[in-house]
mmCIF file of all heavy atoms in Angstrom:
data_model
loop_
_atom_site.group_PDB
_atom_site.id
_atom_site.type_symbol
_atom_site.label_atom_id
_atom_site.label_comp_id
_atom_site.label_asym_id
_atom_site.label_seq_id
_atom_site.Cartn_x
_atom_site.Cartn_y
_atom_site.Cartn_z
ATOM 1 N N VAL A 159 5.570 45.574 -45.328
ATOM 2 C CA VAL A 159 6.267 46.503 -44.429
ATOM 3 C C VAL A 159 7.647 46.897 -44.949
ATOM 4 O O VAL A 159 8.474 47.410 -44.204
ATOM 5 C CB VAL A 159 6.354 45.930 -42.986
ATOM 6 C CG1 VAL A 159 4.977 45.774 -42.388
ATOM 7 C CG2 VAL A 159 7.136 44.626 -42.937
ATOM 8 N N ARG A 160 7.882 46.690 -46.239
ATOM 9 C CA ARG A 160 9.182 47.016 -46.823
ATOM 10 C C ARG A 160 9.305 48.508 -47.137
ATOM 11 O O ARG A 160 8.348 49.254 -47.061
ATOM 12 C CB ARG A 160 9.398 46.193 -48.110
ATOM 13 C CG ARG A 160 9.416 44.689 -47.852
ATOM 14 C CD ARG A 160 9.506 43.880 -49.131
ATOM 15 N NE ARG A 160 8.405 44.243 -50.026
ATOM 16 C CZ ARG A 160 8.512 44.305 -51.354
ATOM 17 N NH1 ARG A 160 9.659 44.048 -51.950
ATOM 18 N NH2 ARG A 160 7.463 44.634 -52.091
ATOM 19 N N THR A 161 10.515 48.900 -47.523
ATOM 20 C CA THR A 161 10.802 50.294 -47.866
ATOM 21 C C THR A 161 10.230 50.619 -49.252
ATOM 22 O O THR A 161 10.005 49.702 -50.060
ATOM 23 C CB THR A 161 12.318 50.562 -47.893
ATOM 24 O OG1 THR A 161 12.903 49.793 -48.958
ATOM 25 C CG2 THR A 161 12.978 50.208 -46.559
ATOM 26 N N PRO A 162 10.022 51.905 -49.555
ATOM 27 C CA PRO A 162 9.522 52.284 -50.880
ATOM 28 C C PRO A 162 10.415 51.781 -52.026
ATOM 29 O O PRO A 162 9.920 51.391 -53.081
ATOM 30 C CB PRO A 162 9.504 53.820 -50.839
ATOM 31 C CG PRO A 162 9.353 54.140 -49.384
ATOM 32 C CD PRO A 162 10.117 53.062 -48.661
ATOM 33 N N GLN A 163 11.722 51.767 -51.825
ATOM 34 C CA GLN A 163 12.640 51.287 -52.852
ATOM 35 C C GLN A 163 12.402 49.794 -53.136
ATOM 36 O O GLN A 163 12.428 49.361 -54.287
ATOM 37 C CB GLN A 163 14.105 51.497 -52.426
ATOM 38 C CG GLN A 163 14.509 52.952 -52.296
ATOM 39 C CD GLN A 163 14.108 53.569 -50.948
ATOM 40 O OE1 GLN A 163 13.571 52.913 -50.057
ATOM 41 N NE2 GLN A 163 14.348 54.861 -50.800
ATOM 42 N N GLU A 164 12.168 49.018 -52.092
ATOM 43 C CA GLU A 164 11.901 47.592 -52.272
ATOM 44 C C GLU A 164 10.550 47.379 -52.960
ATOM 45 O O GLU A 164 10.423 46.547 -53.865
ATOM 46 C CB GLU A 164 11.912 46.869 -50.923
ATOM 47 C CG GLU A 164 13.270 46.812 -50.270
ATOM 48 C CD GLU A 164 13.195 46.307 -48.840
ATOM 49 O OE1 GLU A 164 12.437 46.890 -48.021
ATOM 50 O OE2 GLU A 164 13.878 45.310 -48.549
ATOM 51 N N VAL A 165 9.562 48.130 -52.524
ATOM 52 C CA VAL A 165 8.210 47.998 -53.082
ATOM 53 C C VAL A 165 8.201 48.351 -54.566
ATOM 54 O O VAL A 165 7.469 47.732 -55.352
ATOM 55 C CB VAL A 165 7.215 48.877 -52.290
ATOM 56 C CG1 VAL A 165 5.848 48.894 -52.951
ATOM 57 C CG2 VAL A 165 7.097 48.376 -50.855
ATOM 58 N N ALA A 166 9.037 49.306 -54.982
ATOM 59 C CA ALA A 166 9.093 49.715 -56.379
ATOM 60 C C ALA A 166 9.473 48.558 -57.304
ATOM 61 O O ALA A 166 9.136 48.563 -58.487
ATOM 62 C CB ALA A 166 10.089 50.869 -56.544
ATOM 63 N N GLU A 167 10.129 47.556 -56.774
ATOM 64 C CA GLU A 167 10.522 46.400 -57.576
ATOM 65 C C GLU A 167 9.412 45.368 -57.684
ATOM 66 O O GLU A 167 9.543 44.395 -58.427
ATOM 67 C CB GLU A 167 11.794 45.791 -57.000
ATOM 68 C CG GLU A 167 12.940 46.784 -57.060
ATOM 69 C CD GLU A 167 14.284 46.145 -56.835
ATOM 70 O OE1 GLU A 167 14.411 44.914 -56.934
ATOM 71 O OE2 GLU A 167 15.219 46.912 -56.562
ATOM 72 N N GLY A 168 8.341 45.557 -56.955
ATOM 73 C CA GLY A 168 7.199 44.652 -57.036
ATOM 74 C C GLY A 168 6.679 44.302 -55.656
ATOM 75 O O GLY A 168 7.432 44.248 -54.683
ATOM 76 N N LYS A 169 5.356 44.092 -55.602
ATOM 77 C CA LYS A 169 4.712 43.724 -54.341
ATOM 78 C C LYS A 169 3.613 42.722 -54.634
ATOM 79 O O LYS A 169 3.198 42.537 -55.775
ATOM 80 C CB LYS A 169 4.161 44.957 -53.623
ATOM 81 C CG LYS A 169 2.980 45.636 -54.324
ATOM 82 C CD LYS A 169 2.506 46.855 -53.539
ATOM 83 C CE LYS A 169 1.314 47.514 -54.175
ATOM 84 N NZ LYS A 169 0.030 46.980 -53.769
ATOM 85 N N ILE A 170 3.127 42.084 -53.603
ATOM 86 C CA ILE A 170 2.025 41.147 -53.743
ATOM 87 C C ILE A 170 0.784 41.957 -54.138
ATOM 88 O O ILE A 170 0.529 43.018 -53.549
ATOM 89 C CB ILE A 170 1.805 40.354 -52.437
ATOM 90 C CG1 ILE A 170 3.013 39.442 -52.181
ATOM 91 C CG2 ILE A 170 0.509 39.553 -52.499
ATOM 92 C CD1 ILE A 170 2.972 38.682 -50.871
ATOM 93 N N PRO A 171 0.031 41.477 -55.129
ATOM 94 C CA PRO A 171 -1.161 42.223 -55.555
ATOM 95 C C PRO A 171 -2.095 42.562 -54.392
ATOM 96 O O PRO A 171 -2.295 41.758 -53.486
ATOM 97 C CB PRO A 171 -1.837 41.259 -56.535
ATOM 98 C CG PRO A 171 -0.712 40.432 -57.076
ATOM 99 C CD PRO A 171 0.239 40.266 -55.916
ATOM 100 N N ASN A 172 -2.614 43.767 -54.418
ATOM 101 C CA ASN A 172 -3.561 44.298 -53.430
ATOM 102 C C ASN A 172 -2.969 44.547 -52.043
ATOM 103 O O ASN A 172 -3.717 44.741 -51.079
ATOM 104 C CB ASN A 172 -4.794 43.391 -53.305
ATOM 105 C CG ASN A 172 -5.499 43.216 -54.626
ATOM 106 O OD1 ASN A 172 -5.755 44.185 -55.335
ATOM 107 N ND2 ASN A 172 -5.783 41.980 -54.997
ATOM 108 N N ALA A 173 -1.658 44.548 -51.931
ATOM 109 C CA ALA A 173 -1.027 44.774 -50.624
ATOM 110 C C ALA A 173 -1.076 46.254 -50.250
ATOM 111 O O ALA A 173 -0.908 47.134 -51.092
ATOM 112 C CB ALA A 173 0.416 44.301 -50.627
ATOM 113 N N THR A 174 -1.318 46.497 -48.966
ATOM 114 C CA THR A 174 -1.210 47.823 -48.381
ATOM 115 C C THR A 174 0.236 47.980 -47.936
ATOM 116 O O THR A 174 0.786 47.079 -47.300
ATOM 117 C CB THR A 174 -2.139 47.945 -47.155
ATOM 118 O OG1 THR A 174 -3.488 47.760 -47.588
ATOM 119 C CG2 THR A 174 -1.987 49.280 -46.463
ATOM 120 N N VAL A 175 0.858 49.080 -48.261
ATOM 121 C CA VAL A 175 2.264 49.289 -47.925
ATOM 122 C C VAL A 175 2.377 50.274 -46.774
ATOM 123 O O VAL A 175 1.884 51.400 -46.850
ATOM 124 C CB VAL A 175 3.054 49.807 -49.147
ATOM 125 C CG1 VAL A 175 4.513 50.046 -48.771
ATOM 126 C CG2 VAL A 175 2.939 48.847 -50.315
ATOM 127 N N ILE A 176 3.020 49.827 -45.694
ATOM 128 C CA ILE A 176 3.360 50.710 -44.578
ATOM 129 C C ILE A 176 4.803 50.379 -44.195
ATOM 130 O O ILE A 176 5.082 49.330 -43.610
ATOM 131 C CB ILE A 176 2.429 50.528 -43.359
ATOM 132 C CG1 ILE A 176 0.955 50.725 -43.753
ATOM 133 C CG2 ILE A 176 2.828 51.502 -42.251
ATOM 134 C CD1 ILE A 176 -0.036 50.463 -42.616
ATOM 135 N N ASN A 177 5.707 51.257 -44.559
ATOM 136 C CA ASN A 177 7.137 51.083 -44.322
ATOM 137 C C ASN A 177 7.411 50.972 -42.815
ATOM 138 O O ASN A 177 7.073 51.877 -42.055
ATOM 139 C CB ASN A 177 7.889 52.271 -44.920
ATOM 140 C CG ASN A 177 9.381 52.236 -44.708
ATOM 141 O OD1 ASN A 177 9.935 51.304 -44.141
ATOM 142 N ND2 ASN A 177 10.033 53.277 -45.177
ATOM 143 N N ILE A 178 8.019 49.882 -42.403
ATOM 144 C CA ILE A 178 8.288 49.667 -40.976
ATOM 145 C C ILE A 178 9.231 50.734 -40.411
ATOM 146 O O ILE A 178 9.227 50.996 -39.210
ATOM 147 C CB ILE A 178 8.822 48.244 -40.710
ATOM 148 C CG1 ILE A 178 8.718 47.909 -39.214
ATOM 149 C CG2 ILE A 178 10.235 48.084 -41.235
ATOM 150 C CD1 ILE A 178 8.892 46.451 -38.876
ATOM 151 N N TYR A 179 10.027 51.387 -41.275
ATOM 152 C CA TYR A 179 10.952 52.425 -40.819
ATOM 153 C C TYR A 179 10.315 53.818 -40.788
ATOM 154 O O TYR A 179 10.950 54.778 -40.376
ATOM 155 C CB TYR A 179 12.210 52.441 -41.688
ATOM 156 C CG TYR A 179 12.965 51.132 -41.637
ATOM 157 C CD1 TYR A 179 13.219 50.407 -42.793
ATOM 158 C CD2 TYR A 179 13.405 50.603 -40.423
ATOM 159 C CE1 TYR A 179 13.900 49.203 -42.747
ATOM 160 C CE2 TYR A 179 14.079 49.401 -40.362
ATOM 161 C CZ TYR A 179 14.328 48.705 -41.531
ATOM 162 O OH TYR A 179 14.997 47.513 -41.488
ATOM 163 N N ASP A 180 9.078 53.918 -41.223
ATOM 164 C CA ASP A 180 8.357 55.186 -41.188
ATOM 165 C C ASP A 180 8.133 55.569 -39.722
ATOM 166 O O ASP A 180 7.663 54.749 -38.931
ATOM 167 C CB ASP A 180 7.004 55.017 -41.901
ATOM 168 C CG ASP A 180 6.170 56.280 -41.956
ATOM 169 O OD1 ASP A 180 6.347 57.184 -41.108
ATOM 170 O OD2 ASP A 180 5.319 56.370 -42.856
ATOM 171 N N PRO A 181 8.461 56.807 -39.332
ATOM 172 C CA PRO A 181 8.243 57.225 -37.938
ATOM 173 C C PRO A 181 6.779 57.087 -37.498
ATOM 174 O O PRO A 181 6.500 56.962 -36.315
ATOM 175 C CB PRO A 181 8.682 58.685 -37.911
ATOM 176 C CG PRO A 181 9.527 58.879 -39.125
ATOM 177 C CD PRO A 181 9.094 57.858 -40.127
ATOM 178 N N GLU A 182 5.857 57.096 -38.447
ATOM 179 C CA GLU A 182 4.431 56.973 -38.149
ATOM 180 C C GLU A 182 3.926 55.527 -38.288
ATOM 181 O O GLU A 182 2.714 55.302 -38.299
ATOM 182 C CB GLU A 182 3.632 57.888 -39.086
ATOM 183 C CG GLU A 182 3.968 59.354 -38.935
ATOM 184 C CD GLU A 182 3.566 59.884 -37.562
ATOM 185 O OE1 GLU A 182 2.447 59.592 -37.106
ATOM 186 O OE2 GLU A 182 4.392 60.572 -36.929
ATOM 187 N N PHE A 183 4.845 54.582 -38.399
ATOM 188 C CA PHE A 183 4.453 53.191 -38.622
ATOM 189 C C PHE A 183 3.430 52.699 -37.596
ATOM 190 O O PHE A 183 2.376 52.170 -37.953
ATOM 191 C CB PHE A 183 5.686 52.265 -38.611
ATOM 192 C CG PHE A 183 5.336 50.809 -38.709
ATOM 193 C CD1 PHE A 183 5.000 50.252 -39.934
ATOM 194 C CD2 PHE A 183 5.327 49.994 -37.583
ATOM 195 C CE1 PHE A 183 4.658 48.908 -40.039
ATOM 196 C CE2 PHE A 183 4.980 48.657 -37.670
ATOM 197 C CZ PHE A 183 4.650 48.111 -38.901
ATOM 198 N N GLU A 184 3.728 52.864 -36.320
ATOM 199 C CA GLU A 184 2.828 52.365 -35.278
ATOM 200 C C GLU A 184 1.451 53.012 -35.374
ATOM 201 O O GLU A 184 0.435 52.333 -35.244
ATOM 202 C CB GLU A 184 3.440 52.571 -33.888
ATOM 203 C CG GLU A 184 4.637 51.683 -33.640
ATOM 204 C CD GLU A 184 5.229 51.838 -32.254
ATOM 205 O OE1 GLU A 184 4.663 52.587 -31.414
ATOM 206 O OE2 GLU A 184 6.267 51.200 -31.992
ATOM 207 N N THR A 185 1.405 54.303 -35.600
ATOM 208 C CA THR A 185 0.125 55.008 -35.735
ATOM 209 C C THR A 185 -0.662 54.472 -36.927
ATOM 210 O O THR A 185 -1.860 54.231 -36.833
ATOM 211 C CB THR A 185 0.367 56.524 -35.899
ATOM 212 O OG1 THR A 185 1.104 56.988 -34.764
ATOM 213 C CG2 THR A 185 -0.937 57.284 -36.015
ATOM 214 N N LYS A 186 0.033 54.274 -38.048
ATOM 215 C CA LYS A 186 -0.635 53.810 -39.268
ATOM 216 C C LYS A 186 -1.171 52.382 -39.122
ATOM 217 O O LYS A 186 -2.291 52.105 -39.535
ATOM 218 C CB LYS A 186 0.317 53.903 -40.458
ATOM 219 C CG LYS A 186 0.609 55.336 -40.867
ATOM 220 C CD LYS A 186 1.609 55.398 -42.000
ATOM 221 C CE LYS A 186 1.905 56.834 -42.394
ATOM 222 N NZ LYS A 186 2.889 56.911 -43.492
ATOM 223 N N VAL A 187 -0.387 51.473 -38.550
ATOM 224 C CA VAL A 187 -0.876 50.091 -38.437
ATOM 225 C C VAL A 187 -1.999 49.964 -37.421
ATOM 226 O O VAL A 187 -2.864 49.112 -37.582
ATOM 227 C CB VAL A 187 0.228 49.047 -38.130
ATOM 228 C CG1 VAL A 187 0.993 48.639 -39.329
ATOM 229 C CG2 VAL A 187 1.126 49.468 -37.027
ATOM 230 N N LYS A 188 -2.017 50.822 -36.435
ATOM 231 C CA LYS A 188 -3.110 50.790 -35.455
ATOM 232 C C LYS A 188 -4.448 51.155 -36.087
ATOM 233 O O LYS A 188 -5.499 50.898 -35.505
ATOM 234 C CB LYS A 188 -2.813 51.728 -34.281
ATOM 235 C CG LYS A 188 -1.756 51.208 -33.331
ATOM 236 C CD LYS A 188 -1.529 52.202 -32.210
ATOM 237 C CE LYS A 188 -0.405 51.805 -31.304
ATOM 238 N NZ LYS A 188 -0.180 52.812 -30.244
ATOM 239 N N GLN A 189 -4.419 51.736 -37.277
ATOM 240 C CA GLN A 189 -5.643 52.103 -37.981
ATOM 241 C C GLN A 189 -6.212 50.943 -38.796
ATOM 242 O O GLN A 189 -7.314 51.035 -39.320
ATOM 243 C CB GLN A 189 -5.388 53.307 -38.883
ATOM 244 C CG GLN A 189 -5.053 54.554 -38.098
ATOM 245 C CD GLN A 189 -4.640 55.715 -38.993
ATOM 246 O OE1 GLN A 189 -4.636 55.626 -40.209
ATOM 247 N NE2 GLN A 189 -4.282 56.824 -38.365
ATOM 248 N N LEU A 190 -5.481 49.842 -38.890
ATOM 249 C CA LEU A 190 -5.971 48.680 -39.631
ATOM 250 C C LEU A 190 -7.135 48.039 -38.875
ATOM 251 O O LEU A 190 -7.157 48.038 -37.637
ATOM 252 C CB LEU A 190 -4.847 47.652 -39.833
ATOM 253 C CG LEU A 190 -3.657 48.122 -40.664
ATOM 254 C CD1 LEU A 190 -2.545 47.078 -40.639
ATOM 255 C CD2 LEU A 190 -4.072 48.431 -42.091
#
Side-chain angles (χ1 to χ4, degrees):
V159 296
R160 298 175 304 144
T161 65
Q163 295 82 3
E164 292 170 305
V165 173
E167 298 194 17
K169 68 180 182 88
I170 293 176
N172 302 312
T174 298
V175 179
I176 304 176
N177 178 2
I178 196 166
Y179 299 122
D180 181 336
E182 298 295 315
F183 175 78
E184 291 182 5
T185 302
K186 290 177 181 180
V187 279
K188 286 180 185 178
Q189 295 173 2
L190 297 173

